[in-house]
Amino acid sequence: MSLRASDQEVSSSGALASRLFECRVQTTALTAGLTDADATVQSMEDASPTKWHLAHTTWFFEEFVLAPYVPGYRRVDAQYRYLYNSYYDAIGPRHPRPLRGLLTRPTLVEIVDYRRRVDDALQGLLSSSLPPAALDLIELGIQHEQQHQELLLTDLLHLFAQNPLRPVYHATRDADCADTAPEPGWIDFPGGHFDIGYAGPDFAFDCERPRHTVLLAPYMLANRPVTNQEWIEFIADGGYRSPQLWLSDGWGRVQAEHWQAPLYWVQRDGTWWQMTLSGECPVEPGAPVSQISYFEADAFACWTGARLPTEFEWEVAARAQPVAGQFASTGRFRPSPVRLDMQAPLRQVYGDVWEWTASAYSAYPGFKVAAGAVGEYNGKFMCSQYVLRGGSCATPAGHVRPTYRNFFHPHQRWQFAGLRLARDRT
Amino acid sequence: MSLRASDQEVSSSGALASRLFECRVQTTALTAGLTDADATVQSMEDASPTKWHLAHTTWFFEEFVLAPYVPGYRRVDAQYRYLYNSYYDAIGPRHPRPLRGLLTRPTLVEIVDYRRRVDDALQGLLSSSLPPAALDLIELGIQHEQQHQELLLTDLLHLFAQNPLRPVYHATRDADCADTAPEPGWIDFPGGHFDIGYAGPDFAFDCERPRHTVLLAPYMLANRPVTNQEWIEFIADGGYRSPQLWLSDGWGRVQAEHWQAPLYWVQRDGTWWQMTLSGECPVEPGAPVSQISYFEADAFACWTGARLPTEFEWEVAARAQPVAGQFASTGRFRPSPVRLDMQAPLRQVYGDVWEWTASAYSAYPGFKVAAGAVGEYNGKFMCSQYVLRGGSCATPAGHVRPTYRNFFHPHQRWQFAGLRLARDRT
Amino acid sequence: MSLRASDQEVSSSGALASRLFECRVQTTALTAGLTDADATVQSMEDASPTKWHLAHTTWFFEEFVLAPYVPGYRRVDAQYRYLYNSYYDAIGPRHPRPLRGLLTRPTLVEIVDYRRRVDDALQGLLSSSLPPAALDLIELGIQHEQQHQELLLTDLLHLFAQNPLRPVYHATRDADCADTAPEPGWIDFPGGHFDIGYAGPDFAFDCERPRHTVLLAPYMLANRPVTNQEWIEFIADGGYRSPQLWLSDGWGRVQAEHWQAPLYWVQRDGTWWQMTLSGECPVEPGAPVSQISYFEADAFACWTGARLPTEFEWEVAARAQPVAGQFASTGRFRPSPVRLDMQAPLRQVYGDVWEWTASAYSAYPGFKVAAGAVGEYNGKFMCSQYVLRGGSCATPAGHVRPTYRNFFHPHQRWQFAGLRLARDRT
Amino acid sequence: MSLRASDQEVSSSGALASRLFECRVQTTALTAGLTDADATVQSMEDASPTKWHLAHTTWFFEEFVLAPYVPGYRRVDAQYRYLYNSYYDAIGPRHPRPLRGLLTRPTLVEIVDYRRRVDDALQGLLSSSLPPAALDLIELGIQHEQQHQELLLTDLLHLFAQNPLRPVYHATRDADCADTAPEPGWIDFPGGHFDIGYAGPDFAFDCERPRHTVLLAPYMLANRPVTNQEWIEFIADGGYRSPQLWLSDGWGRVQAEHWQAPLYWVQRDGTWWQMTLSGECPVEPGAPVSQISYFEADAFACWTGARLPTEFEWEVAARAQPVAGQFASTGRFRPSPVRLDMQAPLRQVYGDVWEWTASAYSAYPGFKVAAGAVGEYNGKFMCSQYVLRGGSCATPAGHVRPTYRNFFHPHQRWQFAGLRLARDRT
């Protein structure tokens, strides 16, 4: 990917070190209150255990920073190179993904110790002068670890949702939020030529580059994401029983997996409940709907007569707004009704829920894969996935940008993913 | 979809009738030499039996033309409505796709008789004056049947390729073709604004519309498709053993299904053979490679340092050329080395092999699904598939256009699909 | 297996030849009225196509009789050795069983011609003097082919049962049968020492030997098989919804495959119908229930408070009776209510339906596998299967004996298999 | 099942209480050294987590003893009734078996506390006078818990064997064992009538009853189980590559799962290693082979020209010997070469490894299922499984008897299961 090339090496190195260790501490802090078992089990193949997230993000620094840049560096444990490689074929063989949950050893305590020892080595490394390439890799390691912070939370929620005891990860804090969402409305955007993608001096992933021009027709975006209340109406109107609303592959999933509501919803005595990181709670009507697949997002849009926005439409609209919203730093870890003091016409663009777009995840014109193993970071996933934008209540604050592209397969449901409607202007 | 609205109803109706019955006859003619058994078996879930193609294309006219437009029309067999519906949920329940090959009855003779009786009814209908909507549906039925003519051939080839006796569908005719392909070369194309999609008065599928403007950067296309000879070099260089060349999902397929060459290739005593509709033949070095997946096309392009073209780049380049090439009408039914008398700089754009593009199959801006059951024709498949362009040696002559969009899933291999390389101009 | 050693070689050879060609003709005769497609399709992995049965039984003679005993014998087609080997590992590689239905070629006509040519060669061979070992193999070939005659019918019924058009294999002949079954009753049998298995001079399969003594406690057998009427009562009483009646693996099947009635039964407007070789017919209340698994037989017995007999109890009771009953020669091909003129206390012991026993299929004490490839005939299947006794309406007359052991897996349902109840005498 | 009926209620109740709490303490003691994660993960569907074993054996007492016999008993946690029911359909719905490993909560500490609270309640109950039925259920609960003690160890070994770090459950104690096994030899046994099954006053499982007479032909048994050294010879001779040695279903497994050695064996640099509860160790040549399936046992016997004994042959031979051998109480937890001081002609009959017999697990003549939910204990598993005899190095001392019948499916490999050869005397 294209990384920051700094000519203020020393001072930036200090700032980088602060951000690095702040990030490392945050990751470990997410495990407070988890048992060794909570941190070990893999509840489905798409998810990874907490311990694996902790170790893999550490392996990343060992593999790409310490081993190349610390002369004579000795790995904490030679077997970790095999166990905690995720998908970097260039690095060598790796432990199969579906078996990650069988590693009851090392223990959570041992993994935390592994993190500490690697942090010590990074501290040592960062006290010396480093070439820009090394700094770039540390920056990438921070961004990478932030992504795993979010996955750690969504994977844990999936695990706890399988448990009939409905474990609580942490008690919900009261949110500064309204009970209800504002009335739905449309915001107009003009057509024209727009530059898309990142071209600035700071970090951005390779898939956000190169910046290039696209042509957009005039369009409208909804003033806020679709809410749980609207989703309840969709269910009540037979949304999950009407094949004509669905993409063909989506309808296949609805039938094969008996989808009837968002992933963690269950109805008891006429009331909808949903599993959250604070345990099972009543569904909040005014909060953005979450834990839905692309297929569901598309079917809902079809039901309303609208459509999903393209990622370009989203980016052009979103970049006029400050990157502010409910991120993981609020500690609420669930989408919330819009804050009353938010007066921007386009609300909840950032945070709360990732927004599915109509755009297949693909390379921007002129995209080049980075040299070396880190070149496997994004490019090899550019197939059969869809772009989501904006970040969620589980995304670390400061991680996303207007140009940031997240991506998942259209059937995947366990993320904090919702939707915002779009329309053509006619 | 958007169809032809004619004000010369009578004469066009006569021309339409000619094309209709010519098409109907061609379909049945493809079954010459097939046994009842050949026409019955379904060799994989993606494929359908010949009898099913024959009956389903007939059901299409019964369902969408005869039933609505012939007063008091009585279906040939009430059960065929259930058996030969493909995927139109709005029409009602249907026989499950994976079970199509269990229908040993009706026999091939009975299905041909079903065709004849529906043709008779269509003949009667077309002798009267028809509203434009009916003519549009007949036109759609012809186009639909042409698509099934191609699938009939590719599905049959798949079936015969499973048989160790290597049955011959028909003897190959000598082709007017060279032994070797021309030297590879690049053709330059400028960037700029281009109108994409169909906007003319004739038939085009809904997914080819609406016509809209896109912005392209300058690019290059290869002067011809990738050849078997080049593919042999890719294999020899370890192409199927090098994960770094592959999309992540593609590499998963390579390993799970032990891909080592295009679908119908087998190596014996150092020579590559391939199954064709003329039985097993030596691989022709100068012919375009075929029966490859998107994953393989993409890995090959990565191996060369080039890339696949977008469907827009392809369309802009292709529309400068006449729609001529080796289609099904040549009766050779396999990709051939380029004809010596073809002197266009860009060769074999049409016919021979469909060319995988880098474009995910998605709706053009402003796309609207047609009302009624025919609205299920294309829109509901716009997910997780990739666009192919140009037609193949199994496509009926006259069926494709520069704007024509075919689509398959990236792992599917049984079509006459190959690739043409593209590059950025730097 | 242990075969007949004859010292009257010439005359017995003549009798053997008669029986051989009678059997061969009967097999081919079963295909009258079938299309090439009917004879080609494989409707599930457990079943084989008619053409495969025709060819495999022919291959058996080519492989085990003609090739060894005809000097310089040339096989009709070298590839048939691969295509029509069933499971004889000692013979070499073979076409995978699940792919048998993809062989649309050779055609049915070609297979019948293959049969004719092998019959001609057998005719030639039998006109000369043959060693006893060759005669034994021909005898085995006849018995083997008779087994496939039955499978051909049950496999065909399975195929036709998948077709919503409900094809008719042949019109039912009126049976010499009553509408209702006799009242249920118990027949007492004493305990004691009994010799089990075959020890005579004629043919018997290896698994019926050696004859050996078993000790039985006094027991009772039902005077007739369980009827459809009784099965309807079992269903009505919640038999398929009561886990406590079922073996653990059986209850797993009931739930996974949604069993609610015997395999080919369907209820419409309160009436039970069943698919038969004469098409779909109302269930005959007085006929023995059929197309049930061991799991269902066991659950039914549990529901009545009785049990299944052991194969020894069955054999001791059955050998007092003539081997007479409704076999395939009646041409009715479905279990029938008991004939009124049958006055034996134990009715329908032979023919109509195979009767599941409580005995796992295992080797008799002292059992030895035969030398050579035919040693693979029975022994290697002695695991996880259950013994059925008595023959069915699809078994060739003359094929079964009191000592005859058929066997299927406990979940398999597509045979003419029913049950007879047993009890301890207390 | 048929249980002990005591007329010395009071004193026996005291003895029972001692045995009960001794057993309960032993179970918990097995978890020493395990982490919460070790105790939580389910490494395959056949295995259960340690925590589940701890809780399920406790649920058994709550469900069958405390709830019926303690007036007003309040369950420790109402949800445990659902979570820790194994397969008792009569009790109600239960947590699906494949999901047992997703229950990271309750924690190991909470489960141990659950055990303590139930033990307290049992202590209270046992201080009063109890009806014989209650005492019988407590006895059954002890026997049941002992079975789970063994499964806890074999399931844990399976889990640790999936971990490339090869965790050590506990350090091996030096065994009082030789390096080599004695020479193989045969012991003769006469034929005749023998009483089989349990008829005494003490506890035995329902499936060991009723005692009944069987007739045996003269036979021979090997003087010791097959050793690892002999198994290495079997491998070297192509045992896993020779289909003619295998049952048909067995050969299918060999190919599908790539069996090449016992379950936990791996070859490195020409040496065989195996995973044990003491981590990875070199294979001990003189120790009984273990972790093999019935299929492998049968193929090995076929390779030697011998056979497996029936369970009756085994029982008759074994009951002449004291029930002594290497059980779990030795704390070695792996099969060992025969002790030098063991001079019985038939060695290692008890302990070390369960011995596969040729007998399908089925009901003895006159077998009756017990009334109520405990009737689901054994009878419903009498299908498609094979009997093993003698106990293993993981079986609690005192648990097995000469009449004891263990059973597993023929493909299952994760138990301490080996074999002893048998022969007919001719």
Side-chain angles (χ1 to χ4, degrees), chain D residues 75 205 216 248 389:
Chain D
R75 290 167 192 274
F205 282 107
L216 297 183
S248 181
R389 295 290 197 123

Side-chain angles (χ1 to χ4, degrees), chain B residues 12-69:
Chain B
S12 78
S13 169
L16 186 68
S18 307
R19 290 178 43 244
L20 168 63
F21 296 111
E22 186 182 359
C23 171
R24 298 282 294 164
V25 165
Q26 280 169 346
T27 308
T28 307
L30 289 174
T31 67
L34 294 187
T35 66
D36 188 14
D38 295 335
T40 299
V41 171
Q42 180 176 32
S43 58
M44 65 169 170
E45 191 170 331
D46 280 345
S48 293
T50 294
K51 279 193 332 198
W52 189 88
H53 287 298
L54 296 176
H56 164 68
T57 49
T58 305
W59 164 89
F60 191 96
F61 286 108
E62 242 191 343
E63 185 68 38
F64 294 120
V65 178
L66 296 179
Y69 293 103

Side-chain angles (χ1 to χ4, degrees), chain A residues 1-3 64 69 88 90-91 133 137 140 206 367-377, chain B residues 244:
Chain A
M1 69 240 68
S2 178
L3 299 174
F64 294 120
Y69 293 103
Y88 295 84
I91 301 301
L137 285 161
L140 179 61
D206 53 355
F367 173 75
K368 293 285 176 228
V369 168
V374 294
E376 300 185 45
Y377 204 93
Chain B
Q244 69 279 9

Side-chain angles (χ1 to χ4, degrees), chain C residues 183-249:
Chain C
E183 286 298 298
W186 295 101
I187 317 290
D188 282 347
F189 294 89
H193 288 79
F194 300 94
D195 284 342
I196 291 292
Y198 192 76
D202 294 324
F203 176 86
F205 282 107
D206 53 355
C207 64
E208 299 171 56
R209 305 178 192 252
R211 189 168 178 85
H212 64 289
T213 306
V214 302
L215 200 56
L216 297 182
Y219 64 102
M220 296 187 282
L221 289 185
N223 61 336
R224 57 162 174 75
V226 169
T227 63
N228 286 329
Q229 177 57 44
E230 289 161 342
W231 205 268
I232 288 169
E233 290 159 18
F234 172 67
I235 296 171
D237 194 44
Y240 285 92
R241 297 189 308 272
S242 304
Q244 70 278 11
L245 299 176
W246 294 79
L247 287 162
S248 180
D249 288 354

Side-chain angles (χ1 to χ4, degrees), chain C residues 144-209:
Chain C
H144 170 257
E145 184 147 344
Q146 288 179 325
Q147 294 181 313
H148 280 278
Q149 287 174 4
E150 176 155 7
L151 292 172
L152 186 158
L153 290 169
T154 55
D155 291 355
L156 188 70
L157 175 54
H158 187 268
L159 171 64
F160 280 4
Q162 312 310 308
N163 192 328
L165 301 180
R166 302 283 179 237
V168 171
Y169 170 64
H170 82 140
T172 308
R173 302 192 201 157
D174 280 343
D176 175 16
C177 59
D179 283 350
T180 56
E183 286 298 298
W186 295 101
I187 317 290
D188 282 347
F189 294 89
H193 288 79
F194 300 94
D195 284 342
I196 291 292
Y198 192 76
D202 294 324
F203 176 86
F205 282 107
D206 53 355
C207 64
E208 299 171 56
R209 305 178 192 252

Side-chain angles (χ1 to χ4, degrees), chain C residues 64-73 125 128 130-135 137:
Chain C
F64 294 121
V65 178
L66 296 178
Y69 292 104
V70 176
Y73 178 75
L125 182 70
S128 64
L130 282 173
L135 298 177
L137 286 161

